[in-house]
């Protein structure tokens, strides 16, 4: 079941690594949009009819970051692939099972992780966080050190960088690269939602979490915990995927509403921005910037391939519609309707892959909020 879940998420986790041959993928190394530039939506999206409910934690979507059903639950700050979704503390065996599961998924990918997408995102993060000599960075879910290693060059000998990841395989690759670059970095193997600080309490200027925050459970407690590692005025920077704004996501949102499921952050860029603002505010942080990333790749597909992806999402483990023939028929009808609205002259649909980025600041920072 875990392997099936992993394969269902490859469109987010493995961008640029294992794209299907029947999809045309184009990387876009330019067009970085600044925080002050409003997002331009190319085609009108369906209006949101249901009012947005009060924020209460994890987005209650019927699918995860790549429109596959949610299969990751959080328990008291644990990134948990094997726990039940409740509030009881994870058992020692569950922690061991979870660590083993994460290692199987991410450890095996360490040698191939540094693909164009991950490199481009890391470069963008280094621009967004604007480190200065002498500062301290904590890189949560640091992977192979794509942010940690160049960040050490920016903070210089008087600055400090700590990279934290649950995967030993990822950390081994990061350590190898750091040694080759002669970068003095501390790498810790730990669950990033509740890492154990060293004997000297952490006091960071910046905490980053690139291409990983959507995999964490208990987002608000996690952000609160991370904020304790910040200096006053320190910043937390992370991103969330925008798959719910694309065609399959639009279909699943409509289907969820029709079948009575609670859709939280919905299917428009504005709702995703609201979700990030609510996350920061609920965690006691001030939202400083909310902005769209550059477009990292563009996918083009025809109706047959698009329906195949929809069916994978409907039948993925944990789907509330798995095996429901009636729901599949209705989903196909919605999909064809939306596809016709979006297709170009070639009868293909082109979609951009990008992320929403949030920057939150710990109380005590100077200046006013400019979440845009």
């Amino acid at each position: 079941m875990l392997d099936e879940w992993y394969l269902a998420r490859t469109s987010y986790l493995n961008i640029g690594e294992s794209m299907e041959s029947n999809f045309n993928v184009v990387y876009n190394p330019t067009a970085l949009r600044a925080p002050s530039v409003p997002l331009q939506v190319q085609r009108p999206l369906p209006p949101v009819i249901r009012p947005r409910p009060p924020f209460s934690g994890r987005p209650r979507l019927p699918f995860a970051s790549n429109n596959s059903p949610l299969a990751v639950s959080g328990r008291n700050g644990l990134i948990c692939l094997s726990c039940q979704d409740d509030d009881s503390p994870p058992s020692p065996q569950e922690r061991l099972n979870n660590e083993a599961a994460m290692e199987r998924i991410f450890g095996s990918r360490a040698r191939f992780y540094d693909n164009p997408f991950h490199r481009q995102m890391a470069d963008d993060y280094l621009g967004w966080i604007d480190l200065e000599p002498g500062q301290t960075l904590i890189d949560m879910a640091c992977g192979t050190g794509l942010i940690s290693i160049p960040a050490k060059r920016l903070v210089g000998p008087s600055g400090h960088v700590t990279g934290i990841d649950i995967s030993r395989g990822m950390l081994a690759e990061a350590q190898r690269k750091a040694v080759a670059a002669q970068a003095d970095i501390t790498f810790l193997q730990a669950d990033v939602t509740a890492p154990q600080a060293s004997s000297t309490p952490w006091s960071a200027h910046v905490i980053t979490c690139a291409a990983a925050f959507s995999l964490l459970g208990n987002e608000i407690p996690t952000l609160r915990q991370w904020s304790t590692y910040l200096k006053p005025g320190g910043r937390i920077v992370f991103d969330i995927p925008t798959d719910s704004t694309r065609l399959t996501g639009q279909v699943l949102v409509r289907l969820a509403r029709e079948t009575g499921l609670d859709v939280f952050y919905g299917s428009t860029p504005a709702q995703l921005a609201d979700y990030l603002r609510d996350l920061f505010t609920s965690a006691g942080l001030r939202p400083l910037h909310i902005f769209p990333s550059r477009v990292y790749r563009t996918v083009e597909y025809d109706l047959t391939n698009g329906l195949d992806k929809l069916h994978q999402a409907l039948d993925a483990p944990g789907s509330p519609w798995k095996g429901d023939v009636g729901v599949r028929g209705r989903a196909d009808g919605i999909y064809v309707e939306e596809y016709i609205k979006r297709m170009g002259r070639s009868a293909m649909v082109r979609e951009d892959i990008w992320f929403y980025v949030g920057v939150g600041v710990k109380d005590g920072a100077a200046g006013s909020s400019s979440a845009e």
Side-chain angles (χ1 to χ4, degrees):
M1 179 173 178
L2 181 61
D3 292 337
E4 292 176 303
W5 170 83
Y6 171 57
L7 290 173
R9 295 184 65 93
T10 52
S11 67
Y12 173 53
L13 294 175
N14 290 347
I15 291 177
E17 295 178 34
S18 59
M19 290 303 301
E20 296 86 346
S21 59
N22 52 11
F23 280 66
N24 298 323
V25 181
V26 179
Y27 282 100
N28 186 346
T30 59
L32 175 62
R33 286 174 278 192
S36 60
V37 178
L39 175 65
Q40 300 297 317
V41 182
Q42 298 300 318
R43 295 180 176 86
L45 296 173
V48 179
I49 299 175
R50 181 181 300 182
R52 186 165 58 92
F55 186 73
S56 60
R58 170 172 287 280
R60 296 183 294 277
L61 284 174
F63 50 88
S65 63
N66 70 326
N67 306 322
S68 60
L70 289 172
V72 183
S73 62
R75 276 174 72 173
N76 290 7
L78 175 69
I79 306 174
C80 195
L81 304 184
S82 57
C83 302
Q84 298 297 316
D85 192 10
D86 57 41
D87 294 328
S88 59
S91 69
Q93 187 59 50
E94 284 175 329
R95 288 185 179 275
L96 291 174
N97 291 345
N98 178 63
E99 184 175 327
M102 297 295 283
E103 186 61 37
R104 285 198 301 273
I105 293 174
F106 294 103
S108 62
R109 299 175 53 233
R111 291 181 300 162
F112 313 103
Y113 190 77
D114 294 0
N115 57 52
F117 158 67
H118 288 123
R119 288 183 181 278
Q120 289 172 11
M121 177 169 270
D123 288 344
D124 289 347
Y125 262 80
L126 292 168
W128 297 331
I129 60 181
D130 193 25
L131 287 172
E132 298 178 0
Q135 290 190 331
T136 297
L137 168 74
I138 301 175
D139 187 13
M140 300 292 187
C142 65
T144 61
L146 285 173
I147 293 176
S148 302
I149 295 171
K152 177 57 182 174
R153 292 195 293 268
L154 295 175
V155 301
S158 61
H160 301 278
V161 174
T162 299
I164 304 173
D165 203 286
I166 199 170
S167 167
R168 290 183 175 88
M170 287 285 189
L171 291 174
E173 182 66 12
Q175 186 65 54
R176 182 193 66 78
K177 290 163 55 180
V179 170
Q182 298 183 332
D184 183 13
I185 300 171
T186 300
F187 289 107
L188 300 177
Q189 193 272 327
D191 186 326
V192 299
T193 63
Q196 297 297 315
S198 60
S199 56
T200 302
W202 285 324
S203 184
H205 295 86
V206 180
I207 292 175
T208 55
C209 184
F213 193 80
S214 64
L215 302 178
L216 309 184
N218 290 347
E219 290 93 336
I220 294 174
T222 296
L223 285 176
R224 285 177 179 156
Q225 180 68 26
W226 289 358
S227 71
T228 66
Y229 308 145
L230 287 175
K231 296 176 178 290
R235 293 160 290 143
I236 294 177
V237 187
F238 66 90
D239 59 89
I240 60 171
T242 59
D243 292 358
S244 62
T245 67
R246 296 192 285 277
L247 181 52
T248 300
Q250 293 278 294
V251 173
L252 294 179
V253 166
R254 281 186 56 181
L255 191 63
R257 291 192 176 116
E258 289 186 9
T259 55
L261 294 179
D262 189 10
V263 178
F264 179 65
Y265 60 51
S267 56
T268 70
Q271 288 175 318
L272 293 174
D274 284 343
Y275 167 63
L276 280 171
R277 290 188 186 94
D278 288 343
L279 265 181
F280 283 127
T281 302
S282 298
L285 297 164
R286 178 161 52 87
L288 188 64
H289 294 297
I290 308 294
F291 61 95
S293 73
R294 72 165 93 184
V295 173
Y296 290 104
R297 65 182 175 95
T298 299
V299 177
E300 186 177 54
Y301 55 91
D302 62 20
L303 179 60
T304 299
N305 294 328
L307 284 170
D308 286 344
K309 295 295 288 184
L310 173 66
H311 296 161
Q312 290 176 27
L314 291 172
D315 292 335
S319 169
W321 309 298
K322 184 176 176 65
D324 191 322
V325 177
V327 167
R328 172 177 288 209
R330 175 56 183 151
D332 286 353
I334 296 174
Y335 193 95
V336 171
E337 175 187 334
E338 295 294 333
Y339 187 95
I340 292 173
K341 294 178 184 178
R342 294 172 179 237
M343 71 179 184
R345 293 182 179 179
S346 64
M348 304 279 281
V349 166
R350 290 173 60 90
E351 293 185 318
D352 294 334
I353 309 301
W354 54 280
F355 297 79
Y356 246 122
V357 182
V359 182
V361 65
K362 185 173 182 178
D363 288 341
S368 59
S369 173
S370 59
E372 297 164 283

